[in-house]
C-alpha cells in the first residue's frame, strides 16, 4: 500500500515557476515508478511526466518537455515536479501517482495503482 500527498500548488503568473512535491508512505517507494498527471475543468486527466524506479529514467508529455522536470529522492520517499515557464494552459489540478510498472506505454496512461488527492495550479495571464 502506498499513500501519496501532494503539495506546492498555488497561483502564479505566466512565465513563473512552481515546484510540486509528493510525499509517499510505505517502505517500498523505491520499487514504484512515479508519475504526474493533470486535469483541467471539463477535460480528461492527462499525462505530464514520469520517472521509473531502478535507474530514474524520465519521460514527458510533449506539451511540457523542456519546461518541467520530474525527480525523486528515494531516501526521503519524495517525488518532485519543477515547473518553469508556466503558461495559462498549464492550469489544472495536478496529481501524483505510483505504479510498479517499468513500461513507458503503461506509465503514460492514468491506470496507476495509487493516486494522491491533487493540488491546484493556476497560471494567470
Amino acid at each position: 500500500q502506498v499513500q501519496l500527498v501532494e503539495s506546492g500548488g498555488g497561483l502564479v503568473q505566466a512565465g513563473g515557476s512552481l515546484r510540486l512535491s509528493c510525499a509517499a508512505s510505505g517502505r517500498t517507494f523505491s520499487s514504484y515508478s512515479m508519475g504526474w498527471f493533470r486535469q483541467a475543468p471539463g477535460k480528461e486527466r492527462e499525462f505530464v511526466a514520469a520517472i521509473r524506479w531502478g535507474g530514474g529514467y524520465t519521460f514527458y508529455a510533449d506539451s511540457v518537455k523542456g519546461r518541467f522536470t520530474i525527480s525523486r529522492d528515494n531516501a526521503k520517499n519524495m517525488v518532485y515536479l519543477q515547473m518553469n515557464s508556466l503558461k495559462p494552459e498549464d492550469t489544472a489540478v495536478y496529481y501524483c501517482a505510483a505504479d510498479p510498472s517499468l513500461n513507458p506505454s503503461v506509465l503514460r496512461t492514468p491506470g496507476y495503482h495509487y493516486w494522491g488527492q491533487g493540488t491546484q495550479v493556476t497560471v494567470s495571464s
Side-chain angles (χ1 to χ4, degrees), residues 17 19 21 28 56 60-61 69 73 87 94 99 111-113 116 119:
S17 298
R19 188 175 85 151
S21 299
T28 58
Y60 300 88
T69 302
D73 185 337
K87 304 175 181 180
Y94 282 71
D99 194 89
Y112 284 54
H113 276 46
T119 185

Side-chain angles (χ1 to χ4, degrees), residues 28-34 50-57 72 74 99-103 107:
T28 58
F29 172 76
S30 61
S31 298
Y32 284 87
S33 296
M34 302 298 296
I51 183 166
R52 299 197 312 191
W53 62 269
Y57 175 77
R72 66 189 296 162
N74 288 337
D99 194 89
S101 178
L102 285 171
N103 187 332
L107 296 175

Side-chain angles (χ1 to χ4, degrees), residues 13-57:
Q13 288 188 332
S17 298
L18 281 176
R19 188 175 85 151
L20 305 183
S21 299
C22 175
S25 66
R27 293 175 293 175
T28 58
F29 172 76
S30 61
S31 298
Y32 284 87
S33 296
M34 302 298 296
W36 286 97
F37 286 75
R38 66 187 182 187
Q39 189 166 18
K43 295 187 176 181
E44 293 186 352
R45 192 167 297 190
E46 66 172 357
F47 170 75
V48 175
I51 183 166
R52 299 197 312 191
W53 62 269
Y57 175 77

